[in-house]
Amino acid sequence: MLIRIGSGAGFSGDRLEPALLLAEKGNLDYLVLECLAERTIALAHKRKKENSSLGYDPLLEKRMELLLPTLIQNGVRLITNMGAANPVSGAEKVIEIAQRLGLSIKVAAVTGDDVLAFLDTDALSMETNKPLHSYGPILSANAYLGVEAILPALEKEADIILTGRVADPSLFLAPMVHHFGWSVDDADLIAQGTIIGHLLECGGQIAGGYYADPGKKDVPHLENLGFPYAEVQADGSALITKVPNTGGVINLMTAKEQLLYEVTNPNEYITPDVIADFTSVKLREAGSDRIEVTGGKGKKRPETLKVSVGYHAGFIGEGEISYAGSNAWGRAQLAGDVMRTRLEKRFDELRIDYIGVSSTHRNTFGQWNEPYEVRLRVAVKTCSLSEAAKIGEEVESLYTNGPAGGGGARKYTQEVLGIVSSLLPREEIELSVVIKESVLHEEKTV
């Protein structure tokens, strides 16, 4: 009665090969690719605005071309949020790839998370309590959906399910609810499934990625990191492991780090499906690279859904230049002083970093070793692209107008997409599932 669910990606740019290995050797029922973040979906909406047939994940085609034959051959169903801002076009692209590969396949596109058309811009943001319209031109608004958005696609027996913004654990929870027939009102079971999903959602992290610290937390064969899968029982308990002979390690430490990842309140981890209590979770090592997960309590799901709102936040202009050799630090500081004097009256948001010295924490914390090389970074945030471009020009001028020995200058600009959050009553969401098939070319909405 158990179900095996694998985690084949933890973000949009994740490696492709671990997912294929899971599909080949994991004996899975489901493979989940979690590829969407707040800024990722805002960028997807920008691509869709430029071309209405785009807006799905940029790596969708590569992942599907690699995975589809093995998924179909081994009977593994795929759930992924790679639909991003355009799940329907993403589904059409998957059908196109399947036909090219000679595969018969059913694809479901889950929609309803895009709420921009009826977003109340007078609503207050969760971060600052300011109205949404005060941030700047709004580009996107996507509600975090839960399992109820995915269950109809599972019931339609879709081989591939593409969603937009769905809460990360819900991607893993949905097949558990479908397979075991759990009631969405059983808060403890839903919480246990959510905890399993949370442990899996970041892919290789629970296997030692983002954990390794040589000499302190050693991880074997990180170059061949194996991604995790869970064997889930009907009572909500699970065993998390990975394919044998892959790199990485799954132990109590990696599991505990992942359990607390991005959790601000472990007593009340809020998702669209449940408010989960992580403090009741029990983790036990059940062998090499095998962690047993039990416990987990929950309270009734919230009446509102979180909405991720993307807005145009101006432009960043950057310039960098390196100084190396004797007195590199002194020359880099002089160059930084020159830039500050030239620019601080022209730009309200100016940042000067010394990469390798103080760019990450902006402090040396009293531990000082004179660096042999330093890279100066100058950046501003402004509302004008042309003004942002001036920063790189100023830094480049340090070649002959600044300290001795500057080299390797580069300059670039980028648009800034800001993200804030708001709440929306869940009854305002209109869910739908579009089914597409590679053989019949039929389209149905349920």
PDB file of all heavy atoms in Angstrom, residues 177-203:
ATOM      1  N   VAL A 177      -2.499  12.035  -0.881  1.00  0.00           N
ATOM      2  CA  VAL A 177      -3.945  12.159  -0.665  1.00  0.00           C
ATOM      3  C   VAL A 177      -4.704  11.322  -1.690  1.00  0.00           C
ATOM      4  O   VAL A 177      -5.656  10.602  -1.359  1.00  0.00           O
ATOM      5  CB  VAL A 177      -4.371  13.638  -0.749  1.00  0.00           C
ATOM      6  CG1 VAL A 177      -5.893  13.770  -0.685  1.00  0.00           C
ATOM      7  CG2 VAL A 177      -3.722  14.443   0.381  1.00  0.00           C
ATOM      8  N   HIS A 178      -4.267  11.383  -2.934  1.00  0.00           N
ATOM      9  CA  HIS A 178      -4.924  10.635  -4.010  1.00  0.00           C
ATOM     10  C   HIS A 178      -4.760   9.129  -3.813  1.00  0.00           C
ATOM     11  O   HIS A 178      -5.736   8.364  -3.934  1.00  0.00           O
ATOM     12  CB  HIS A 178      -4.323  11.058  -5.350  1.00  0.00           C
ATOM     13  CG  HIS A 178      -4.794  10.250  -6.515  1.00  0.00           C
ATOM     14  ND1 HIS A 178      -6.065  10.344  -7.036  1.00  0.00           N
ATOM     15  CD2 HIS A 178      -4.147   9.303  -7.271  1.00  0.00           C
ATOM     16  CE1 HIS A 178      -6.192   9.519  -8.053  1.00  0.00           C
ATOM     17  NE2 HIS A 178      -5.048   8.869  -8.210  1.00  0.00           N
ATOM     18  N   HIS A 179      -3.558   8.697  -3.517  1.00  0.00           N
ATOM     19  CA  HIS A 179      -3.250   7.268  -3.428  1.00  0.00           C
ATOM     20  C   HIS A 179      -3.927   6.613  -2.220  1.00  0.00           C
ATOM     21  O   HIS A 179      -4.493   5.514  -2.331  1.00  0.00           O
ATOM     22  CB  HIS A 179      -1.737   7.082  -3.338  1.00  0.00           C
ATOM     23  CG  HIS A 179      -1.292   5.652  -3.296  1.00  0.00           C
ATOM     24  ND1 HIS A 179      -1.192   4.869  -4.423  1.00  0.00           N
ATOM     25  CD2 HIS A 179      -0.931   4.861  -2.250  1.00  0.00           C
ATOM     26  CE1 HIS A 179      -0.775   3.654  -4.088  1.00  0.00           C
ATOM     27  NE2 HIS A 179      -0.611   3.623  -2.772  1.00  0.00           N
ATOM     28  N   PHE A 180      -3.882   7.279  -1.064  1.00  0.00           N
ATOM     29  CA  PHE A 180      -4.404   6.686   0.162  1.00  0.00           C
ATOM     30  C   PHE A 180      -5.848   7.071   0.447  1.00  0.00           C
ATOM     31  O   PHE A 180      -6.463   6.522   1.367  1.00  0.00           O
ATOM     32  CB  PHE A 180      -3.536   7.098   1.356  1.00  0.00           C
ATOM     33  CG  PHE A 180      -2.120   6.608   1.286  1.00  0.00           C
ATOM     34  CD1 PHE A 180      -1.055   7.507   1.310  1.00  0.00           C
ATOM     35  CD2 PHE A 180      -1.830   5.255   1.185  1.00  0.00           C
ATOM     36  CE1 PHE A 180       0.258   7.072   1.250  1.00  0.00           C
ATOM     37  CE2 PHE A 180      -0.520   4.806   1.118  1.00  0.00           C
ATOM     38  CZ  PHE A 180       0.527   5.713   1.152  1.00  0.00           C
ATOM     39  N   GLY A 181      -6.374   8.014  -0.322  1.00  0.00           N
ATOM     40  CA  GLY A 181      -7.730   8.451  -0.081  1.00  0.00           C
ATOM     41  C   GLY A 181      -7.887   9.254   1.201  1.00  0.00           C
ATOM     42  O   GLY A 181      -8.955   9.227   1.835  1.00  0.00           O
ATOM     43  N   TRP A 182      -6.832   9.959   1.597  1.00  0.00           N
ATOM     44  CA  TRP A 182      -6.906  10.775   2.801  1.00  0.00           C
ATOM     45  C   TRP A 182      -7.952  11.878   2.647  1.00  0.00           C
ATOM     46  O   TRP A 182      -8.108  12.455   1.567  1.00  0.00           O
ATOM     47  CB  TRP A 182      -5.566  11.429   3.091  1.00  0.00           C
ATOM     48  CG  TRP A 182      -4.479  10.507   3.533  1.00  0.00           C
ATOM     49  CD1 TRP A 182      -4.608   9.201   3.909  1.00  0.00           C
ATOM     50  CD2 TRP A 182      -3.087  10.829   3.640  1.00  0.00           C
ATOM     51  NE1 TRP A 182      -3.374   8.680   4.240  1.00  0.00           N
ATOM     52  CE2 TRP A 182      -2.431   9.651   4.091  1.00  0.00           C
ATOM     53  CE3 TRP A 182      -2.336  11.971   3.399  1.00  0.00           C
ATOM     54  CZ2 TRP A 182      -1.046   9.613   4.305  1.00  0.00           C
ATOM     55  CZ3 TRP A 182      -0.969  11.938   3.614  1.00  0.00           C
ATOM     56  CH2 TRP A 182      -0.335  10.766   4.060  1.00  0.00           C
ATOM     57  N   SER A 183      -8.618  12.208   3.719  1.00  0.00           N
ATOM     58  CA  SER A 183      -9.516  13.354   3.731  1.00  0.00           C
ATOM     59  C   SER A 183      -8.693  14.626   3.878  1.00  0.00           C
ATOM     60  O   SER A 183      -7.785  14.684   4.719  1.00  0.00           O
ATOM     61  CB  SER A 183     -10.507  13.244   4.895  1.00  0.00           C
ATOM     62  OG  SER A 183     -11.187  14.473   5.088  1.00  0.00           O
ATOM     63  N   VAL A 184      -9.017  15.613   3.087  1.00  0.00           N
ATOM     64  CA  VAL A 184      -8.287  16.882   3.194  1.00  0.00           C
ATOM     65  C   VAL A 184      -8.612  17.596   4.501  1.00  0.00           C
ATOM     66  O   VAL A 184      -7.956  18.581   4.867  1.00  0.00           O
ATOM     67  CB  VAL A 184      -8.585  17.814   1.994  1.00  0.00           C
ATOM     68  CG1 VAL A 184      -8.049  17.209   0.709  1.00  0.00           C
ATOM     69  CG2 VAL A 184     -10.077  18.115   1.896  1.00  0.00           C
ATOM     70  N   ASP A 185      -9.607  17.104   5.225  1.00  0.00           N
ATOM     71  CA  ASP A 185      -9.971  17.677   6.516  1.00  0.00           C
ATOM     72  C   ASP A 185      -9.293  16.976   7.692  1.00  0.00           C
ATOM     73  O   ASP A 185      -9.461  17.395   8.841  1.00  0.00           O
ATOM     74  CB  ASP A 185     -11.489  17.623   6.710  1.00  0.00           C
ATOM     75  CG  ASP A 185     -12.231  18.481   5.691  1.00  0.00           C
ATOM     76  OD1 ASP A 185     -11.742  19.583   5.383  1.00  0.00           O
ATOM     77  OD2 ASP A 185     -13.280  18.034   5.190  1.00  0.00           O
ATOM     78  N   ASP A 186      -8.547  15.914   7.416  1.00  0.00           N
ATOM     79  CA  ASP A 186      -7.808  15.219   8.475  1.00  0.00           C
ATOM     80  C   ASP A 186      -6.496  15.963   8.700  1.00  0.00           C
ATOM     81  O   ASP A 186      -5.480  15.690   8.058  1.00  0.00           O
ATOM     82  CB  ASP A 186      -7.552  13.760   8.084  1.00  0.00           C
ATOM     83  CG  ASP A 186      -6.977  12.930   9.227  1.00  0.00           C
ATOM     84  OD1 ASP A 186      -6.228  13.485  10.058  1.00  0.00           O
ATOM     85  OD2 ASP A 186      -7.264  11.726   9.284  1.00  0.00           O
ATOM     86  N   ALA A 187      -6.507  16.920   9.617  1.00  0.00           N
ATOM     87  CA  ALA A 187      -5.378  17.843   9.761  1.00  0.00           C
ATOM     88  C   ALA A 187      -4.078  17.133  10.117  1.00  0.00           C
ATOM     89  O   ALA A 187      -3.009  17.518   9.633  1.00  0.00           O
ATOM     90  CB  ALA A 187      -5.712  18.903  10.822  1.00  0.00           C
ATOM     91  N   ASP A 188      -4.131  16.089  10.943  1.00  0.00           N
ATOM     92  CA  ASP A 188      -2.891  15.414  11.341  1.00  0.00           C
ATOM     93  C   ASP A 188      -2.263  14.659  10.170  1.00  0.00           C
ATOM     94  O   ASP A 188      -1.043  14.729   9.950  1.00  0.00           O
ATOM     95  CB  ASP A 188      -3.155  14.458  12.503  1.00  0.00           C
ATOM     96  CG  ASP A 188      -3.367  15.194  13.818  1.00  0.00           C
ATOM     97  OD1 ASP A 188      -3.058  16.399  13.885  1.00  0.00           O
ATOM     98  OD2 ASP A 188      -3.856  14.563  14.774  1.00  0.00           O
ATOM     99  N   LEU A 189      -3.084  13.933   9.410  1.00  0.00           N
ATOM    100  CA  LEU A 189      -2.545  13.232   8.237  1.00  0.00           C
ATOM    101  C   LEU A 189      -2.001  14.213   7.203  1.00  0.00           C
ATOM    102  O   LEU A 189      -0.920  14.010   6.635  1.00  0.00           O
ATOM    103  CB  LEU A 189      -3.623  12.356   7.596  1.00  0.00           C
ATOM    104  CG  LEU A 189      -3.755  10.918   8.097  1.00  0.00           C
ATOM    105  CD1 LEU A 189      -4.879  10.210   7.362  1.00  0.00           C
ATOM    106  CD2 LEU A 189      -2.441  10.156   7.944  1.00  0.00           C
ATOM    107  N   ILE A 190      -2.739  15.272   6.949  1.00  0.00           N
ATOM    108  CA  ILE A 190      -2.301  16.265   5.975  1.00  0.00           C
ATOM    109  C   ILE A 190      -1.019  16.936   6.450  1.00  0.00           C
ATOM    110  O   ILE A 190      -0.114  17.225   5.653  1.00  0.00           O
ATOM    111  CB  ILE A 190      -3.411  17.308   5.720  1.00  0.00           C
ATOM    112  CG1 ILE A 190      -4.653  16.628   5.127  1.00  0.00           C
ATOM    113  CG2 ILE A 190      -2.914  18.410   4.792  1.00  0.00           C
ATOM    114  CD1 ILE A 190      -4.419  15.911   3.818  1.00  0.00           C
ATOM    115  N   ALA A 191      -0.900  17.160   7.758  1.00  0.00           N
ATOM    116  CA  ALA A 191       0.329  17.745   8.297  1.00  0.00           C
ATOM    117  C   ALA A 191       1.500  16.794   8.115  1.00  0.00           C
ATOM    118  O   ALA A 191       2.607  17.221   7.748  1.00  0.00           O
ATOM    119  CB  ALA A 191       0.142  18.082   9.777  1.00  0.00           C
ATOM    120  N   GLN A 192       1.295  15.501   8.361  1.00  0.00           N
ATOM    121  CA  GLN A 192       2.377  14.531   8.191  1.00  0.00           C
ATOM    122  C   GLN A 192       2.833  14.479   6.730  1.00  0.00           C
ATOM    123  O   GLN A 192       4.037  14.440   6.448  1.00  0.00           O
ATOM    124  CB  GLN A 192       1.917  13.164   8.661  1.00  0.00           C
ATOM    125  CG  GLN A 192       1.734  13.080  10.176  1.00  0.00           C
ATOM    126  CD  GLN A 192       1.210  11.728  10.621  1.00  0.00           C
ATOM    127  OE1 GLN A 192       1.868  10.703  10.417  1.00  0.00           O
ATOM    128  NE2 GLN A 192       0.039  11.707  11.217  1.00  0.00           N
ATOM    129  N   GLY A 193       1.882  14.482   5.809  1.00  0.00           N
ATOM    130  CA  GLY A 193       2.253  14.501   4.393  1.00  0.00           C
ATOM    131  C   GLY A 193       2.964  15.782   4.005  1.00  0.00           C
ATOM    132  O   GLY A 193       3.895  15.773   3.180  1.00  0.00           O
ATOM    133  N   THR A 194       2.545  16.890   4.588  1.00  0.00           N
ATOM    134  CA  THR A 194       3.191  18.178   4.321  1.00  0.00           C
ATOM    135  C   THR A 194       4.629  18.171   4.814  1.00  0.00           C
ATOM    136  O   THR A 194       5.531  18.688   4.144  1.00  0.00           O
ATOM    137  CB  THR A 194       2.401  19.315   5.001  1.00  0.00           C
ATOM    138  OG1 THR A 194       1.107  19.413   4.393  1.00  0.00           O
ATOM    139  CG2 THR A 194       3.119  20.648   4.882  1.00  0.00           C
ATOM    140  N   ILE A 195       4.873  17.581   5.974  1.00  0.00           N
ATOM    141  CA  ILE A 195       6.232  17.492   6.517  1.00  0.00           C
ATOM    142  C   ILE A 195       7.117  16.660   5.602  1.00  0.00           C
ATOM    143  O   ILE A 195       8.268  17.027   5.329  1.00  0.00           O
ATOM    144  CB  ILE A 195       6.181  16.911   7.949  1.00  0.00           C
ATOM    145  CG1 ILE A 195       5.577  17.951   8.902  1.00  0.00           C
ATOM    146  CG2 ILE A 195       7.568  16.488   8.422  1.00  0.00           C
ATOM    147  CD1 ILE A 195       5.052  17.376  10.190  1.00  0.00           C
ATOM    148  N   ILE A 196       6.603  15.561   5.104  1.00  0.00           N
ATOM    149  CA  ILE A 196       7.377  14.741   4.153  1.00  0.00           C
ATOM    150  C   ILE A 196       7.690  15.557   2.909  1.00  0.00           C
ATOM    151  O   ILE A 196       8.824  15.552   2.404  1.00  0.00           O
ATOM    152  CB  ILE A 196       6.591  13.466   3.787  1.00  0.00           C
ATOM    153  CG1 ILE A 196       6.400  12.583   5.029  1.00  0.00           C
ATOM    154  CG2 ILE A 196       7.304  12.681   2.689  1.00  0.00           C
ATOM    155  CD1 ILE A 196       5.344  11.514   4.863  1.00  0.00           C
ATOM    156  N   GLY A 197       6.689  16.276   2.401  1.00  0.00           N
ATOM    157  CA  GLY A 197       6.917  17.123   1.234  1.00  0.00           C
ATOM    158  C   GLY A 197       7.953  18.192   1.494  1.00  0.00           C
ATOM    159  O   GLY A 197       8.795  18.480   0.632  1.00  0.00           O
ATOM    160  N   HIS A 198       7.914  18.778   2.684  1.00  0.00           N
ATOM    161  CA  HIS A 198       8.891  19.814   3.032  1.00  0.00           C
ATOM    162  C   HIS A 198      10.303  19.233   3.079  1.00  0.00           C
ATOM    163  O   HIS A 198      11.261  19.884   2.656  1.00  0.00           O
ATOM    164  CB  HIS A 198       8.521  20.437   4.374  1.00  0.00           C
ATOM    165  CG  HIS A 198       9.493  21.472   4.850  1.00  0.00           C
ATOM    166  ND1 HIS A 198       9.593  22.718   4.271  1.00  0.00           N
ATOM    167  CD2 HIS A 198      10.422  21.439   5.837  1.00  0.00           C
ATOM    168  CE1 HIS A 198      10.523  23.409   4.889  1.00  0.00           C
ATOM    169  NE2 HIS A 198      11.051  22.654   5.841  1.00  0.00           N
ATOM    170  N   LEU A 199      10.446  18.019   3.579  1.00  0.00           N
ATOM    171  CA  LEU A 199      11.763  17.388   3.628  1.00  0.00           C
ATOM    172  C   LEU A 199      12.293  17.069   2.234  1.00  0.00           C
ATOM    173  O   LEU A 199      13.506  17.072   1.998  1.00  0.00           O
ATOM    174  CB  LEU A 199      11.699  16.104   4.466  1.00  0.00           C
ATOM    175  CG  LEU A 199      11.540  16.306   5.979  1.00  0.00           C
ATOM    176  CD1 LEU A 199      11.211  14.986   6.662  1.00  0.00           C
ATOM    177  CD2 LEU A 199      12.814  16.918   6.573  1.00  0.00           C
ATOM    178  N   LEU A 200      11.393  16.815   1.289  1.00  0.00           N
ATOM    179  CA  LEU A 200      11.801  16.442  -0.071  1.00  0.00           C
ATOM    180  C   LEU A 200      11.956  17.627  -1.014  1.00  0.00           C
ATOM    181  O   LEU A 200      12.656  17.530  -2.028  1.00  0.00           O
ATOM    182  CB  LEU A 200      10.773  15.480  -0.674  1.00  0.00           C
ATOM    183  CG  LEU A 200      10.652  14.080  -0.072  1.00  0.00           C
ATOM    184  CD1 LEU A 200       9.467  13.350  -0.692  1.00  0.00           C
ATOM    185  CD2 LEU A 200      11.931  13.282  -0.278  1.00  0.00           C
ATOM    186  N   GLU A 201      11.298  18.749  -0.725  1.00  0.00           N
ATOM    187  CA  GLU A 201      11.078  19.782  -1.736  1.00  0.00           C
ATOM    188  C   GLU A 201      12.342  20.423  -2.289  1.00  0.00           C
ATOM    189  O   GLU A 201      12.320  20.961  -3.403  1.00  0.00           O
ATOM    190  CB  GLU A 201      10.160  20.877  -1.176  1.00  0.00           C
ATOM    191  CG  GLU A 201      10.787  21.708  -0.081  1.00  0.00           C
ATOM    192  CD  GLU A 201       9.808  22.697   0.531  1.00  0.00           C
ATOM    193  OE1 GLU A 201       8.675  22.311   0.875  1.00  0.00           O
ATOM    194  OE2 GLU A 201      10.198  23.855   0.667  1.00  0.00           O
ATOM    195  N   CYS A 202      13.446  20.390  -1.558  1.00  0.00           N
ATOM    196  CA  CYS A 202      14.665  21.044  -2.029  1.00  0.00           C
ATOM    197  C   CYS A 202      15.627  20.085  -2.703  1.00  0.00           C
ATOM    198  O   CYS A 202      16.819  20.389  -2.850  1.00  0.00           O
ATOM    199  CB  CYS A 202      15.346  21.773  -0.880  1.00  0.00           C
ATOM    200  SG  CYS A 202      14.400  23.185  -0.277  1.00  0.00           S
ATOM    201  N   GLY A 203      15.120  18.937  -3.120  1.00  0.00           N
ATOM    202  CA  GLY A 203      15.952  18.002  -3.871  1.00  0.00           C
ATOM    203  C   GLY A 203      17.168  17.559  -3.081  1.00  0.00           C
ATOM    204  O   GLY A 203      17.068  16.993  -1.998  1.00  0.00           O
TER     205      GLY A 203
END
